[in-house]
Amino acid sequence: MILPASTSMIRKQNLDVLVIDNAKAQTQISLMGAHVLSYKPKADNQERLWLSSNAKFDGKHAIRGGIPVCWPWFGDSHGQNDKTLPAHGYVRKQIWRLVSCTDTEQGTELLLEPTTNQGAGFSGEAKLSLKILVAERLTLQLITENVGSKPFNYTAALHSYFAIGDISQTELSGLSGHYQDKTRDFRSFETPTPYQFFEETDRVHLCTQEAVLLKHSAGETAITSKGHDSWVVWNPWQENAITMADMSDDGYQQMLCVETAITQGLTVAPGEKSTLVQTIS
Ligand code: TA6
């Protein structure tokens, strides 16, 4: 494919990475996983996404940071009894095909599709695609289409890692109600106000609020979601960071995952599409 003026391809260790530099923003997207690695709007040139300094680009490991695409399941929901199935589905390590890439007045529009939609742990006849708009805002649309003759059920997430400068100076607003705490056997707790971070955090907020705001020492990041049933908030904290080969011991201090997710399972009827959307600005 002939790439438009904004876009070029570079090699990052073993991976092909698209570099988009248009009038509105700069972005990098790895073709492994259709994984957005970086997003800097030109209005303030501030990096919105966190990418681990120890992230592996060897093509064998999922990339730590940026925006992993988790599909057709989120977490270990399909793999609790079968440790051979990967956490967060099987498209994170696939090479995705760039179907189209166009410069418009708004920004750069990309369409990507995984090599295969099929994999152990999921029997639905699905067609997955990811539309990305690199503009004043970054917009990701994860589209799941049922191309078979039977309904299927799936879960998914846009597992975004945000650069927040210093976790002790970070506050998340916009969420309310109860959350399920994975660090406490999924017991239910009230969303704190103010929502700040002092310990390992792994929470599923079963709410469909559309907009949240992250205030942090490097500025503010606005995140909106559509098509979700949950927001997931994750920080591994030091005790887990030190066990992770692809995160430095103090990496947890500079990141917070705020994920647009379908955790409860969504049924897609034959011929129907389901779209999970996240925007970042
Ligand atoms: O979204 C939160 C979570 O499911 C956590 O439980 C944690 O394990 C994290 O994702 C990272 O998962 P990964 O497979 O990328 O190591």
Side-chain angles (χ1 to χ4, degrees), residues 68-123:
V69 174
C70 307
W71 186 94
W73 63 85
F74 168 77
D76 49 14
S77 52
H78 283 234
Q80 273 155 357
N81 300 319
D82 183 351
K83 298 292 173 210
T84 61
L85 292 176
H88 294 317
Y90 49 71
V91 296
R92 283 199 288 181
K93 291 196 276 179
Q94 272 191 38
I95 304 302
W96 290 51
R97 187 170 72 90
L98 182 63
V99 178
S100 62
C101 182
T102 322
D103 286 341
T104 68
E105 257 181 41
Q106 237 190 324
T108 306
E109 290 176 8
L110 302 100
L111 179 67
L112 296 121
E113 289 177 0
T115 315
T116 170
N117 297 284
Q118 313 304 323
F122 180 70
S123 57

CSV table of all heavy atoms in Angstrom, one decimal, residues 68-123:
chain,number,residue,atom,x,y,z
A,68,PRO,N,-3.0,-1.9,24.4
A,68,PRO,CA,-3.2,-3.3,24.0
A,68,PRO,C,-4.7,-3.5,23.7
A,68,PRO,O,-5.6,-3.0,24.3
A,68,PRO,CB,-2.8,-4.1,25.2
A,68,PRO,CG,-2.0,-3.2,26.1
A,68,PRO,CD,-2.5,-1.8,25.8
A,69,VAL,N,-4.9,-4.3,22.6
A,69,VAL,CA,-6.3,-4.7,22.2
A,69,VAL,C,-6.5,-6.1,22.8
A,69,VAL,O,-5.8,-7.0,22.4
A,69,VAL,CB,-6.4,-4.7,20.7
A,69,VAL,CG1,-7.8,-5.2,20.3
A,69,VAL,CG2,-6.2,-3.3,20.1
A,70,CYS,N,-7.5,-6.2,23.7
A,70,CYS,CA,-7.8,-7.4,24.4
A,70,CYS,C,-9.1,-8.0,23.7
A,70,CYS,O,-10.1,-7.3,23.8
A,70,CYS,CB,-8.0,-7.3,25.9
A,70,CYS,SG,-6.7,-6.4,26.7
A,71,TRP,N,-9.0,-9.1,23.1
A,71,TRP,CA,-10.2,-9.7,22.4
A,71,TRP,C,-9.9,-11.1,22.0
A,71,TRP,O,-8.7,-11.4,21.6
A,71,TRP,CB,-10.4,-8.8,21.1
A,71,TRP,CG,-11.6,-9.2,20.3
A,71,TRP,CD1,-12.8,-8.6,20.4
A,71,TRP,CD2,-11.7,-10.2,19.3
A,71,TRP,NE1,-13.7,-9.1,19.5
A,71,TRP,CE2,-13.0,-10.1,18.8
A,71,TRP,CE3,-10.8,-11.1,18.7
A,71,TRP,CZ2,-13.5,-11.0,17.8
A,71,TRP,CZ3,-11.3,-12.0,17.7
A,71,TRP,CH2,-12.6,-11.9,17.3
A,72,PRO,N,-10.8,-12.1,21.9
A,72,PRO,CA,-12.2,-11.9,22.2
A,72,PRO,C,-12.5,-12.2,23.7
A,72,PRO,O,-13.7,-12.5,24.0
A,72,PRO,CB,-12.8,-13.0,21.3
A,72,PRO,CG,-11.8,-14.1,21.2
A,72,PRO,CD,-10.4,-13.4,21.3
A,73,TRP,N,-11.5,-12.1,24.5
A,73,TRP,CA,-11.9,-12.1,25.9
A,73,TRP,C,-10.9,-11.1,26.7
A,73,TRP,O,-9.8,-10.9,26.2
A,73,TRP,CB,-11.8,-13.5,26.6
A,73,TRP,CG,-10.5,-14.2,26.6
A,73,TRP,CD1,-9.5,-14.1,27.5
A,73,TRP,CD2,-10.1,-15.2,25.6
A,73,TRP,NE1,-8.5,-14.9,27.2
A,73,TRP,CE2,-8.8,-15.6,26.0
A,73,TRP,CE3,-10.6,-15.7,24.5
A,73,TRP,CZ2,-8.0,-16.5,25.3
A,73,TRP,CZ3,-9.9,-16.7,23.8
A,73,TRP,CH2,-8.6,-17.1,24.2
A,74,PHE,N,-11.4,-10.7,27.8
A,74,PHE,CA,-10.7,-9.8,28.7
A,74,PHE,C,-10.2,-10.6,29.9
A,74,PHE,O,-11.0,-11.4,30.4
A,74,PHE,CB,-11.6,-8.6,29.1
A,74,PHE,CG,-11.0,-7.8,30.2
A,74,PHE,CD1,-10.0,-6.9,30.0
A,74,PHE,CD2,-11.4,-8.0,31.5
A,74,PHE,CE1,-9.4,-6.2,31.0
A,74,PHE,CE2,-10.8,-7.3,32.6
A,74,PHE,CZ,-9.8,-6.4,32.3
A,75,GLY,N,-9.0,-10.3,30.4
A,75,GLY,CA,-8.5,-10.9,31.6
A,75,GLY,C,-8.3,-12.4,31.3
A,75,GLY,O,-7.9,-12.8,30.2
A,76,ASP,N,-8.7,-13.2,32.3
A,76,ASP,CA,-8.5,-14.7,32.2
A,76,ASP,C,-9.8,-15.3,32.1
A,76,ASP,O,-10.0,-16.5,32.5
A,76,ASP,CB,-7.6,-15.2,33.3
A,76,ASP,CG,-8.0,-14.8,34.6
A,76,ASP,OD1,-9.1,-14.2,34.8
A,76,ASP,OD2,-7.2,-14.9,35.6
A,77,SER,N,-10.9,-14.6,31.7
A,77,SER,CA,-12.2,-15.2,31.8
A,77,SER,C,-12.4,-16.5,31.0
A,77,SER,O,-13.2,-17.3,31.4
A,77,SER,CB,-13.3,-14.2,31.3
A,77,SER,OG,-12.9,-13.6,30.1
A,78,HIS,N,-11.6,-16.7,29.9
A,78,HIS,CA,-11.7,-17.9,29.2
A,78,HIS,C,-10.6,-18.9,29.6
A,78,HIS,O,-10.6,-20.0,29.1
A,78,HIS,CB,-11.5,-17.7,27.7
A,78,HIS,CG,-12.8,-17.2,27.0
A,78,HIS,ND1,-13.4,-17.7,26.0
A,78,HIS,CD2,-13.5,-16.1,27.4
A,78,HIS,CE1,-14.4,-17.0,25.6
A,78,HIS,NE2,-14.5,-16.0,26.5
A,79,GLY,N,-9.7,-18.5,30.5
A,79,GLY,CA,-8.6,-19.3,30.7
A,79,GLY,C,-8.4,-19.8,32.1
A,79,GLY,O,-7.4,-20.3,32.5
A,80,GLN,N,-9.4,-19.6,33.0
A,80,GLN,CA,-9.2,-19.9,34.4
A,80,GLN,C,-8.9,-21.3,34.7
A,80,GLN,O,-8.1,-21.6,35.5
A,80,GLN,CB,-10.4,-19.5,35.2
A,80,GLN,CG,-10.3,-18.0,35.6
A,80,GLN,CD,-11.7,-17.3,35.9
A,80,GLN,OE1,-12.7,-17.9,35.7
A,80,GLN,NE2,-11.6,-16.1,36.3
A,81,ASN,N,-9.5,-22.2,33.9
A,81,ASN,CA,-9.2,-23.6,34.1
A,81,ASN,C,-8.2,-24.2,33.0
A,81,ASN,O,-7.9,-25.3,33.0
A,81,ASN,CB,-10.5,-24.4,34.0
A,81,ASN,CG,-11.4,-24.0,35.1
A,81,ASN,OD1,-11.0,-23.7,36.2
A,81,ASN,ND2,-12.7,-23.9,34.7
A,82,ASP,N,-7.8,-23.3,32.1
A,82,ASP,CA,-6.9,-23.8,31.1
A,82,ASP,C,-5.8,-22.8,30.9
A,82,ASP,O,-5.9,-21.8,30.2
A,82,ASP,CB,-7.7,-23.9,29.8
A,82,ASP,CG,-6.9,-24.4,28.6
A,82,ASP,OD1,-5.7,-24.5,28.8
A,82,ASP,OD2,-7.4,-24.7,27.6
A,83,LYS,N,-4.7,-23.1,31.6
A,83,LYS,CA,-3.6,-22.1,31.6
A,83,LYS,C,-2.9,-22.0,30.3
A,83,LYS,O,-2.0,-21.2,30.1
A,83,LYS,CB,-2.6,-22.5,32.7
A,83,LYS,CG,-3.2,-22.5,34.1
A,83,LYS,CD,-3.5,-21.0,34.5
A,83,LYS,CE,-4.3,-21.0,35.8
A,83,LYS,NZ,-5.2,-19.9,36.0
A,84,THR,N,-3.3,-22.9,29.3
A,84,THR,CA,-2.7,-22.7,28.0
A,84,THR,C,-3.2,-21.5,27.2
A,84,THR,O,-2.7,-21.1,26.2
A,84,THR,CB,-2.9,-24.0,27.1
A,84,THR,OG1,-4.3,-24.2,26.9
A,84,THR,CG2,-2.3,-25.2,27.8
A,85,LEU,N,-4.4,-21.0,27.6
A,85,LEU,CA,-5.0,-19.9,26.9
A,85,LEU,C,-4.4,-18.6,27.5
A,85,LEU,O,-4.2,-18.4,28.7
A,85,LEU,CB,-6.5,-19.9,27.1
A,85,LEU,CG,-7.3,-21.0,26.4
A,85,LEU,CD1,-8.8,-20.9,26.8
A,85,LEU,CD2,-7.1,-20.9,24.9
A,86,PRO,N,-4.1,-17.6,26.6
A,86,PRO,CA,-3.4,-16.4,27.1
A,86,PRO,C,-4.4,-15.5,27.8
A,86,PRO,O,-5.6,-15.5,27.4
A,86,PRO,CB,-3.0,-15.7,25.8
A,86,PRO,CG,-3.8,-16.3,24.7
A,86,PRO,CD,-4.3,-17.7,25.1
A,87,ALA,N,-3.9,-14.7,28.7
A,87,ALA,CA,-4.8,-13.6,29.3
A,87,ALA,C,-5.1,-12.6,28.2
A,87,ALA,O,-4.2,-12.4,27.3
A,87,ALA,CB,-4.0,-13.0,30.4
A,88,HIS,N,-6.2,-12.1,28.2
A,88,HIS,CA,-6.6,-11.0,27.3
A,88,HIS,C,-6.7,-11.4,25.8
A,88,HIS,O,-6.5,-10.5,25.0
A,88,HIS,CB,-5.6,-9.8,27.5
A,88,HIS,CG,-5.7,-9.1,28.8
A,88,HIS,ND1,-6.8,-8.8,29.5
A,88,HIS,CD2,-4.7,-8.7,29.6
A,88,HIS,CE1,-6.5,-8.2,30.6
A,88,HIS,NE2,-5.3,-8.1,30.7
A,89,GLY,N,-7.0,-12.7,25.6
A,89,GLY,CA,-7.3,-13.0,24.2
A,89,GLY,C,-6.0,-13.3,23.4
A,89,GLY,O,-4.9,-13.3,23.9
A,90,TYR,N,-6.3,-13.4,22.0
A,90,TYR,CA,-5.2,-13.8,21.2
A,90,TYR,C,-4.8,-12.9,20.1
A,90,TYR,O,-4.1,-13.2,19.1
A,90,TYR,CB,-5.5,-15.2,20.6
A,90,TYR,CG,-6.8,-15.4,20.0
A,90,TYR,CD1,-7.2,-14.8,18.8
A,90,TYR,CD2,-7.8,-16.2,20.7
A,90,TYR,CE1,-8.4,-15.0,18.2
A,90,TYR,CE2,-9.1,-16.4,20.1
A,90,TYR,CZ,-9.4,-15.8,18.9
A,90,TYR,OH,-10.6,-15.9,18.3
A,91,VAL,N,-5.3,-11.6,20.1
A,91,VAL,CA,-4.9,-10.7,19.0
A,91,VAL,C,-3.7,-9.8,19.4
A,91,VAL,O,-3.2,-9.1,18.5
A,91,VAL,CB,-6.1,-9.9,18.4
A,91,VAL,CG1,-7.1,-10.8,17.8
A,91,VAL,CG2,-6.7,-9.0,19.5
A,92,ARG,N,-3.3,-9.8,20.6
A,92,ARG,CA,-2.2,-8.9,21.0
A,92,ARG,C,-0.9,-9.2,20.4
A,92,ARG,O,-0.1,-8.3,20.2
A,92,ARG,CB,-2.0,-9.0,22.6
A,92,ARG,CG,-3.0,-8.3,23.4
A,92,ARG,CD,-2.5,-8.0,24.8
A,92,ARG,NE,-2.3,-9.2,25.7
A,92,ARG,CZ,-1.9,-9.1,26.9
A,92,ARG,NH1,-1.5,-8.0,27.4
A,92,ARG,NH2,-1.8,-10.2,27.6
A,93,LYS,N,-0.7,-10.5,20.1
A,93,LYS,CA,0.6,-10.9,19.5
A,93,LYS,C,0.5,-11.2,18.0
A,93,LYS,O,1.4,-11.7,17.4
A,93,LYS,CB,1.2,-12.0,20.3
A,93,LYS,CG,1.6,-11.6,21.7
A,93,LYS,CD,2.5,-12.6,22.3
A,93,LYS,CE,1.8,-13.7,23.0
A,93,LYS,NZ,2.6,-14.7,23.6
A,94,GLN,N,-0.7,-11.0,17.4
A,94,GLN,CA,-0.8,-11.2,16.0
A,94,GLN,C,-0.3,-10.0,15.2
A,94,GLN,O,-0.4,-8.9,15.7
A,94,GLN,CB,-2.3,-11.4,15.6
A,94,GLN,CG,-2.8,-12.8,15.8
A,94,GLN,CD,-4.2,-12.9,15.1
A,94,GLN,OE1,-4.5,-12.3,14.1
A,94,GLN,NE2,-5.0,-13.7,15.8
A,95,ILE,N,0.1,-10.3,14.0
A,95,ILE,CA,0.5,-9.2,13.1
A,95,ILE,C,-0.8,-8.8,12.4
A,95,ILE,O,-1.6,-9.6,11.8
A,95,ILE,CB,1.5,-9.7,12.0
A,95,ILE,CG1,2.8,-10.2,12.7
A,95,ILE,CG2,1.8,-8.5,11.1
A,95,ILE,CD1,3.5,-9.3,13.6
A,96,TRP,N,-1.2,-7.5,12.5
A,96,TRP,CA,-2.4,-7.0,11.9
A,96,TRP,C,-2.0,-6.4,10.5
A,96,TRP,O,-0.9,-5.9,10.3
A,96,TRP,CB,-3.0,-5.9,12.7
A,96,TRP,CG,-3.6,-6.4,14.0
A,96,TRP,CD1,-3.1,-7.2,14.9
A,96,TRP,CD2,-5.0,-6.1,14.5
A,96,TRP,NE1,-3.9,-7.4,16.0
A,96,TRP,CE2,-5.1,-6.8,15.7
A,96,TRP,CE3,-6.0,-5.4,14.0
A,96,TRP,CZ2,-6.3,-6.7,16.5
A,96,TRP,CZ3,-7.2,-5.3,14.8
A,96,TRP,CH2,-7.3,-5.9,16.0
A,97,ARG,N,-3.0,-6.5,9.6
A,97,ARG,CA,-2.8,-5.9,8.2
A,97,ARG,C,-3.4,-4.5,8.2
A,97,ARG,O,-4.5,-4.3,8.7
A,97,ARG,CB,-3.7,-6.8,7.3
A,97,ARG,CG,-3.5,-6.6,5.8
A,97,ARG,CD,-4.1,-7.7,5.0
A,97,ARG,NE,-5.6,-7.6,5.1
A,97,ARG,CZ,-6.4,-7.0,4.2
A,97,ARG,NH1,-5.8,-6.3,3.2
A,97,ARG,NH2,-7.7,-7.0,4.3
A,98,LEU,N,-2.6,-3.6,7.6
A,98,LEU,CA,-3.1,-2.3,7.4
A,98,LEU,C,-4.0,-2.3,6.1
A,98,LEU,O,-3.5,-2.4,5.0
A,98,LEU,CB,-1.9,-1.3,7.2
A,98,LEU,CG,-2.3,0.1,7.1
A,98,LEU,CD1,-3.0,0.7,8.3
A,98,LEU,CD2,-1.0,1.0,6.8
A,99,VAL,N,-5.3,-2.2,6.3
A,99,VAL,CA,-6.2,-2.2,5.2
A,99,VAL,C,-6.3,-0.9,4.4
A,99,VAL,O,-6.3,-0.8,3.2
A,99,VAL,CB,-7.6,-2.6,5.7
A,99,VAL,CG1,-8.6,-2.7,4.5
A,99,VAL,CG2,-7.6,-4.0,6.4
A,100,SER,N,-6.3,0.2,5.2
A,100,SER,CA,-6.3,1.5,4.6
A,100,SER,C,-5.7,2.5,5.5
A,100,SER,O,-5.7,2.4,6.7
A,100,SER,CB,-7.7,1.9,4.1
A,100,SER,OG,-8.5,2.0,5.3
A,101,CYS,N,-5.2,3.6,4.9
A,101,CYS,CA,-4.5,4.7,5.7
A,101,CYS,C,-4.7,6.0,4.8
A,101,CYS,O,-4.1,6.0,3.7
A,101,CYS,CB,-3.1,4.3,6.0
A,101,CYS,SG,-2.2,5.5,7.0
A,102,THR,N,-5.4,6.9,5.3
A,102,THR,CA,-5.7,8.1,4.5
A,102,THR,C,-5.6,9.4,5.3
A,102,THR,O,-6.0,9.4,6.5
A,102,THR,CB,-7.2,8.0,4.1
A,102,THR,OG1,-7.6,6.7,3.8
A,102,THR,CG2,-7.5,8.9,2.9
A,103,ASP,N,-5.0,10.4,4.7
A,103,ASP,CA,-5.0,11.7,5.3
A,103,ASP,C,-6.3,12.5,5.0
A,103,ASP,O,-6.7,12.5,3.8
A,103,ASP,CB,-3.8,12.6,4.9
A,103,ASP,CG,-2.5,12.1,5.5
A,103,ASP,OD1,-2.6,11.4,6.5
A,103,ASP,OD2,-1.4,12.4,4.9
A,104,THR,N,-6.9,13.1,5.9
A,104,THR,CA,-8.1,13.9,5.7
A,104,THR,C,-7.9,15.2,6.3
A,104,THR,O,-6.9,15.4,7.0
A,104,THR,CB,-9.4,13.2,6.3
A,104,THR,OG1,-9.3,13.3,7.7
A,104,THR,CG2,-9.6,11.8,5.9
A,105,GLU,N,-8.9,16.1,6.2
A,105,GLU,CA,-8.8,17.5,6.9
A,105,GLU,C,-8.7,17.3,8.4
A,105,GLU,O,-8.0,18.1,9.1
A,105,GLU,CB,-10.0,18.3,6.5
A,105,GLU,CG,-9.7,19.3,5.5
A,105,GLU,CD,-10.9,20.2,5.2
A,105,GLU,OE1,-11.6,20.6,6.1
A,105,GLU,OE2,-11.1,20.5,4.0
A,106,GLN,N,-9.4,16.3,8.9
A,106,GLN,CA,-9.4,16.1,10.3
A,106,GLN,C,-8.1,15.5,10.9
A,106,GLN,O,-7.7,15.9,12.0
A,106,GLN,CB,-10.5,15.0,10.6
A,106,GLN,CG,-11.6,15.5,11.5
A,106,GLN,CD,-12.5,14.3,11.9
A,106,GLN,OE1,-12.7,13.4,11.1
A,106,GLN,NE2,-12.9,14.3,13.1
A,107,GLY,N,-7.5,14.6,10.1
A,107,GLY,CA,-6.3,13.9,10.6
A,107,GLY,C,-6.0,12.7,9.7
A,107,GLY,O,-6.2,12.8,8.5
A,108,THR,N,-5.5,11.6,10.4
A,108,THR,CA,-5.2,10.4,9.6
A,108,THR,C,-6.1,9.3,10.0
A,108,THR,O,-6.2,9.0,11.3
A,108,THR,CB,-3.7,10.1,9.8
A,108,THR,OG1,-2.9,11.2,9.4
A,108,THR,CG2,-3.3,8.9,8.9
A,109,GLU,N,-6.7,8.6,9.1
A,109,GLU,CA,-7.7,7.5,9.4
A,109,GLU,C,-7.0,6.2,9.0
A,109,GLU,O,-6.6,6.1,7.8
A,109,GLU,CB,-9.0,7.6,8.6
A,109,GLU,CG,-9.8,8.8,9.1
A,109,GLU,CD,-11.1,8.9,8.2
A,109,GLU,OE1,-11.3,8.1,7.4
A,109,GLU,OE2,-11.8,10.0,8.4
A,110,LEU,N,-7.0,5.2,9.9
A,110,LEU,CA,-6.4,3.9,9.6
A,110,LEU,C,-7.4,2.8,9.9
A,110,LEU,O,-8.2,3.0,10.8
A,110,LEU,CB,-5.2,3.7,10.5
A,110,LEU,CG,-4.1,4.7,10.4
A,110,LEU,CD1,-4.1,5.6,11.5
A,110,LEU,CD2,-2.7,3.9,10.4
A,111,LEU,N,-7.3,1.8,9.1
A,111,LEU,CA,-8.2,0.6,9.3
A,111,LEU,C,-7.2,-0.6,9.4
A,111,LEU,O,-6.4,-0.8,8.4
A,111,LEU,CB,-9.2,0.4,8.2
A,111,LEU,CG,-10.1,-0.8,8.4
A,111,LEU,CD1,-11.0,-0.7,9.6
A,111,LEU,CD2,-11.0,-1.0,7.1
A,112,LEU,N,-7.3,-1.4,10.4
A,112,LEU,CA,-6.4,-2.6,10.6
A,112,LEU,C,-7.3,-3.8,10.9
A,112,LEU,O,-8.3,-3.7,11.6
A,112,LEU,CB,-5.5,-2.3,11.7
A,112,LEU,CG,-4.5,-1.2,11.5
A,112,LEU,CD1,-4.6,-0.2,12.6
A,112,LEU,CD2,-3.0,-1.7,11.5
A,113,GLU,N,-6.8,-5.0,10.4
A,113,GLU,CA,-7.5,-6.2,10.7
A,113,GLU,C,-6.4,-7.3,11.1
A,113,GLU,O,-5.3,-7.3,10.5
A,113,GLU,CB,-8.2,-6.7,9.4
A,113,GLU,CG,-9.4,-5.9,9.0
A,113,GLU,CD,-10.1,-6.4,7.7
A,113,GLU,OE1,-9.6,-7.3,7.1
A,113,GLU,OE2,-11.0,-5.7,7.3
A,114,PRO,N,-6.8,-8.1,12.1
A,114,PRO,CA,-5.8,-9.2,12.5
A,114,PRO,C,-5.7,-10.2,11.4
A,114,PRO,O,-6.6,-10.4,10.5
A,114,PRO,CB,-6.5,-9.8,13.7
A,114,PRO,CG,-7.9,-9.5,13.6
A,114,PRO,CD,-8.1,-8.2,12.8
A,115,THR,N,-4.6,-11.0,11.4
A,115,THR,CA,-4.4,-12.0,10.4
A,115,THR,C,-5.5,-13.0,10.5
A,115,THR,O,-6.0,-13.5,9.5
A,115,THR,CB,-3.0,-12.8,10.8
A,115,THR,OG1,-2.1,-11.8,11.1
A,115,THR,CG2,-2.6,-13.7,9.6
A,116,THR,N,-5.9,-13.4,11.7
A,116,THR,CA,-7.0,-14.4,11.8
A,116,THR,C,-7.9,-14.0,13.0
A,116,THR,O,-7.4,-13.4,14.0
A,116,THR,CB,-6.5,-15.8,12.0
A,116,THR,OG1,-7.7,-16.6,12.3
A,116,THR,CG2,-5.5,-16.0,13.1
A,117,ASN,N,-9.2,-14.2,12.8
A,117,ASN,CA,-10.1,-13.9,13.9
A,117,ASN,C,-10.3,-15.1,14.8
A,117,ASN,O,-11.0,-15.0,15.8
A,117,ASN,CB,-11.5,-13.5,13.3
A,117,ASN,CG,-11.3,-12.3,12.4
A,117,ASN,OD1,-11.3,-11.2,13.0
A,117,ASN,ND2,-11.3,-12.4,11.1
A,118,GLN,N,-9.8,-16.3,14.3
A,118,GLN,CA,-10.1,-17.5,15.0
A,118,GLN,C,-9.0,-17.9,16.0
A,118,GLN,O,-7.8,-17.4,15.7
A,118,GLN,CB,-10.3,-18.7,14.0
A,118,GLN,CG,-11.2,-18.4,12.8
A,118,GLN,CD,-12.5,-18.0,13.2
A,118,GLN,OE1,-13.1,-18.5,14.2
A,118,GLN,NE2,-13.1,-17.1,12.5
A,119,GLY,N,-9.3,-18.6,17.0
A,119,GLY,CA,-8.3,-19.1,17.9
A,119,GLY,C,-8.8,-20.0,19.0
A,119,GLY,O,-10.1,-19.9,19.2
A,120,ALA,N,-8.0,-20.8,19.6
A,120,ALA,CA,-8.5,-21.6,20.7
A,120,ALA,C,-9.1,-20.8,21.8
A,120,ALA,O,-8.6,-19.7,22.1
A,120,ALA,CB,-7.3,-22.4,21.3
A,121,GLY,N,-10.2,-21.3,22.3
A,121,GLY,CA,-10.9,-20.5,23.4
A,121,GLY,C,-12.1,-19.7,22.9
A,121,GLY,O,-12.8,-19.1,23.7
A,122,PHE,N,-12.3,-19.6,21.6
A,122,PHE,CA,-13.4,-18.8,21.0
A,122,PHE,C,-13.9,-19.5,19.8
A,122,PHE,O,-13.2,-19.7,18.8
A,122,PHE,CB,-12.9,-17.4,20.7
A,122,PHE,CG,-14.0,-16.5,20.2
A,122,PHE,CD1,-15.0,-16.0,21.0
A,122,PHE,CD2,-13.9,-16.1,18.9
A,122,PHE,CE1,-16.0,-15.2,20.5
A,122,PHE,CE2,-14.9,-15.2,18.3
A,122,PHE,CZ,-15.9,-14.8,19.2
A,123,SER,N,-15.2,-19.8,19.7
A,123,SER,CA,-15.7,-20.5,18.6
A,123,SER,C,-16.6,-19.6,17.7
A,123,SER,O,-17.2,-20.1,16.7
A,123,SER,CB,-16.5,-21.7,19.0
A,123,SER,OG,-17.5,-21.3,19.9
